[in-house]
Amino acid sequence: MRRVLFFAWLAGCALLAVGFAGIAVASHPATSEYAGQVAGPAGGTATPTACVTNYACSTTASATIVPGTTDIGNHCDDCITTIALPFTVQLYGTSYNSAHVSSNGNVQLASTDIEFTNTCLPIVTMGPTIFAYWEDLVTEGANCTGGCGIYTSVSGTAPNRIFNIEWRTFYFSEPGNAYFEIRLYEATPNFDVILGTLNTTATSSVGVQNGVGGFTQCLCNTQPPTNSKITFTASTGTCGTPFATFTPGTATGTPTSTLTGTAIVATSTGTGVAATATRTATAVVSGTPIVATASSTPAVSTVTGTPQASATAIASTATGTAAVATSTAAPSSTSAPVPPTSSATPCTVGFTDVPPSNTFYPQIRCLACRGIMGGYSDHTFRPNNDITRGQLSKIVANSAGFNEPVTAQTFEDVEPDNTFYAYIGRMASRGIIGGYPCGGTGEPCGTTNRPYFRPNANATRGQISKIVSEAAGYNDVPEGQTY
């Protein structure tokens, strides 16, 4: 099944407000008035910009923790403390002035997830995060050298300061202490993780993620080296802007057009300010305001005055009865379009092959901004590709919030190193997906007679209906035949 059809189907989440301010909806019966109103961005073009697209990690031995001097007040089992950063910190090209520090060994820049069971990255619920030493840790009590807790300090001088975040902890369910640190740099998006004394039998996850699918995993639920430094070095590339760049024209005059009809949806088009409405009239106005009313017979009327200047056109295009009115009188005022704003943190993900004009742009963007799915390394989404059973499992599992660790292999052809192993395991453990009995052509039975999942096979529309419905918990009894 085509990816775009599936995403339009799956995206029951509300459309993101950011970037859709150019869509206006008028109730009916309608008299739509556009008096110098901005219907949305016009003449926009996607402008690629250089940004941090990835991090590489490397490990060196014999590292030393720089002691923290300020107690941030994190003394607990499974809690988050929000702190102000002494300088702007860059992660994946985004600037941050505060951070949410977890007792369990990670720093989240947007989320506040207190999950203590470390798994492989990415972790959808945590957003942009640095995982210094993700483990089930405790920061309260007195059985830590220097006192348990999380401590910070600043090294160096501006503009080359280093912010040190030091953990002094012990394990919730294992013996010993865990001492480690993150070092954030003012002059570079690079950062370091310093691992001090640790329980060498304990396993943890170390890495970084951008919160929308991109991540660098240095260790996944394994034993890290003690007294070592893991350096995360940023690499830059070209990222397409998620929205078209807003390059509006200037609306001169205070034009008003009264349209008789039923205005359903208006969207921005063209240069200046443009709107397209369904089942209404067409009006082009410039200069001194006039009123044009659509009638049953298409007509053209012209209003003239002393031609001194011509305002930028404000156009609404409709299907159905149409009337056109034009004014060339002197403009009376100037109104500049104001770009849409949002109080929400802007989503920075975008795909070069899914422009805002794409039919499925809202649904694809909605899911991508929530970290439910991503694209390819060349910043494309490839919306016309088919979707495989493995990809489907990941997207549905992430949409449903399934994130528990998977400890056993369910299918013969989905081994633990498979990209979709965890997602397929989570879905299978809930009975949402199944496989095919072994013994078929090219699918021999092993010692455990595990079934085959065929993760690279395309999913059918019927299979997707079943999987999505069961993951969402839809269990009502259908009445009648729909198709």
Side-chain angles (χ1 to χ4, degrees), residues 1-11 358-360 363-364 367 381-387 461 464 468:
M1 181 177 184
R2 296 293 184 187
R3 298 184 80 193
V4 289
L5 295 176
F6 170 60
F7 294 125
W9 193 3
L10 179 63
N358 187 287
T359 301
F360 303 100
Q363 290 85 1
I364 292 172
L367 295 175
F381 180 76
R382 305 177 192 176
N384 294 319
N385 282 9
D386 290 327
I387 189 168
R461 288 166 58 87
I464 292 176
V468 174

Side-chain angles (χ1 to χ4, degrees), residues 67-451:
T69 55
T70 300
D71 185 347
I72 70 169
N74 187 292
H75 302 283
C76 60
D77 174 33
D78 305 329
C79 68
I80 295 279
T81 301
T82 300
I83 62 172
L85 300 173
F87 49 79
T88 299
V89 170
Q90 298 281 332
L91 188 71
Y92 288 100
T94 301
S95 300
Y96 299 94
N97 294 313
S98 63
H100 311 293
V101 184
S102 170
S103 59
N104 293 317
N106 60 72
V107 172
Q108 302 168 46
L109 281 308
S111 57
T112 54
D113 192 323
I114 60 171
E115 177 59 52
F116 56 85
T117 302
N118 58 287
T119 60
C120 296
L121 307 185
I123 310 301
V124 175
T125 57
M126 287 193 179
T129 302
I130 298 174
F131 300 88
Y133 183 77
W134 186 19
E135 243 279 15
D136 189 3
L137 304 171
V138 181
T139 57
E140 61 186 353
N143 56 336
C144 305
T145 303
C148 297
I150 302 175
Y151 300 81
T152 63
S153 64
V154 178
S155 307
T157 57
N160 296 298
R161 290 172 291 179
I162 304 171
F163 186 50
N164 310 294
I165 306 175
E166 179 198 7
W167 279 260
R168 304 172 191 169
T169 73
F170 60 92
Y171 297 87
F172 180 82
S173 56
E174 298 173 88
N177 294 93
Y179 301 103
F180 54 96
E181 175 177 83
I182 291 177
R183 308 195 76 195
L184 303 172
Y185 295 88
E186 182 177 19
T188 172
N190 301 338
F191 61 91
D192 296 326
V193 170
I194 311 298
L195 300 177
T197 301
L198 306 169
N199 180 337
T200 56
T201 63
T203 58
S204 68
S205 294
V206 179
V208 62
Q209 67 178 33
N210 63 12
V212 291
F215 67 96
T216 297
Q217 184 165 268
C218 302
L219 297 172
C220 169
N221 197 28
T222 190
Q223 300 167 0
T226 61
N227 300 311
S228 61
K229 178 173 76 172
I230 301 177
T231 299
F232 288 79
T233 304
S235 59
T236 58
T238 300
C239 298
T241 50
F243 302 109
T245 303
F246 186 60
T247 54
T250 301
T252 307
T254 314
T256 303
S257 62
T258 302
L259 308 179
T260 304
T262 306
I264 304 301
V265 180
T267 56
S268 61
T269 59
T271 303
V273 181
T276 301
T278 306
R279 298 201 305 274
T280 60
T282 300
V284 178
V285 182
S286 61
T288 303
I290 62 166
V291 176
T293 303
S295 61
S296 59
T297 303
V300 176
S301 61
T302 302
V303 180
T304 61
T306 303
Q308 297 180 9
S310 179
T312 302
I314 295 182
S316 65
T317 304
T319 60
T321 305
V324 177
T326 304
S327 169
T328 57
S332 58
S333 63
T334 300
S335 60
V338 180
T341 59
S342 171
S343 58
T345 302
C347 171
T348 58
V349 67
F351 304 109
T352 57
D353 57 347
V354 185
S357 59
N358 187 287
T359 301
F360 303 100
Y361 174 83
Q363 290 85 1
I364 292 172
R365 182 163 172 73
C366 177
L367 295 175
C369 286
R370 284 161 173 73
I372 292 171
M373 56 81 180
Y376 296 85
S377 60
D378 61 354
H379 309 296
T380 62
F381 180 76
R382 305 177 192 176
N384 294 319
N385 282 9
D386 290 327
I387 189 168
T388 68
R389 287 167 55 83
Q391 292 169 333
L392 173 66
S393 299
K394 177 181 178 181
I395 294 166
V396 175
N398 283 347
S399 296
F402 303 154
N403 58 10
E404 74 278 6
V406 176
T407 58
Q409 182 176 341
T410 304
F411 300 103
E412 189 69 27
D413 55 346
V414 184
E415 298 179 348
D417 61 352
N418 187 288
T419 302
F420 304 106
Y421 173 79
Y423 310 105
I424 292 171
R426 290 162 187 161
M427 299 280 283
S429 68
R430 290 173 166 81
I432 296 172
I433 59 169
Y436 302 86
C438 65
T441 303
E443 296 177 341
C445 294
T447 55
T448 57
N449 291 323
R450 282 189 291 243

